[in-house]
Amino acid sequence: MLDYLGVEMKEALARKVSALIGKGIMSEDVMSDKDGIYYYIPAQSLKNPVVLEHYRGRLMMVLPVADCLEIEANNIDIDSYIQNSHWGFGYFRGGGSLIGGIKWKPFEITTKGKEINHFLNFWHCKVFQSVSGNTPGRVCLNCKLDTCSVSDYKRNGDAEMEYEIPDDRCKFWDLLRERLEKELKLKGIMLLPQAKKYITLYPSMGEREVQVYAPETMLIRLLDEPGKHDVRELVEGLEIKLGIPAYLENHEKKIRRVDENSAFFCYNVWRDECPQLVARWFQ
């Protein structure tokens, strides 16, 4: 059985969703999450379909691979799938930051087409401006938004509040950094996803600085289901382990338990395994 959508299915999905939201999606930009999108959408991590606008203006539609299999097997028709799915709409910026690089918000696609259109237009301009440093003036002159704090040409107001994207990953990251500082006296500087169900810390060059890997399925749920999870409880329930960068070896063989809540315990583990990465610590 195919694990991706055929050409006809892609064309039908692109055409019908484009008509609902008033923005064009090309059939070649309809895809499954089978292989994921870098680490922004880990492979086979979605529960719901999402439509994302790249900051350069091209839309992509990403469906859970399980949904694609159901559609291809004719277990559900396209119209029913569109109407009954819980869609997310947002942007894909990339740029290295997990939280700032991709965001979306749940919308009822069959009744909120105009709102979705305005929402995507605002965030396209907002993200484009943050990446390029320029405000797209010609876009502003033809824009139908009533308020926009991005535009220097035509409008003002607090559109960020109107088009805000709730993202519980931000709260998760704040609470996790707070926990790391409190328990281990370590500074989390980057959040990345991993397939494991625990937290893995890797040393960085700055004193007591660590890169933090968190469960990818948890991060997707926090983005896709805002307000539905006790974030503090999730953070406090995660086990923390130490990872050893081993470029020529399997990382699975280089994970250490945290047997003592102190920065010096972590430092001593990494000093023995990868001394070059913590050479500047405690100088």
Side-chain angles (χ1 to χ4, degrees), residues 167-183:
D167 188 352
D168 284 343
R169 295 176 306 173
C170 298
K171 183 177 181 181
F172 175 89
W173 182 221
D174 288 343
L175 290 172
L176 184 52
R177 283 187 294 182
E178 179 183 296
R179 181 184 171 191
L180 292 176
E181 182 65 43
K182 180 179 179 181
E183 293 183 7

Side-chain angles (χ1 to χ4, degrees), residues 155-169:
R155 298 174 175 84
N156 53 52
D158 196 2
E160 278 94 345
M161 294 299 294
E162 184 177 354
Y163 299 110
E164 181 182 8
I165 302 178
D167 188 352
D168 284 343
R169 295 176 306 173

Side-chain angles (χ1 to χ4, degrees), residues 2 4-17 25-28 30 61 63 68 71-72 74 77-79 82:
L2 294 174
Y4 55 87
L5 290 168
V7 174
E8 291 184 2
M9 295 297 185
K10 289 185 176 185
E11 290 177 346
L13 278 163
R15 182 176 66 255
K16 292 174 182 290
V17 173
I25 304 171
M26 301 180 71
S27 60
E28 57 262 39
V30 179
M61 185 191 305
L63 278 63
C68 296
I71 294 171
E72 280 291 340
N74 294 316
D77 64 81
I78 295 294
D79 289 327
I82 293 173

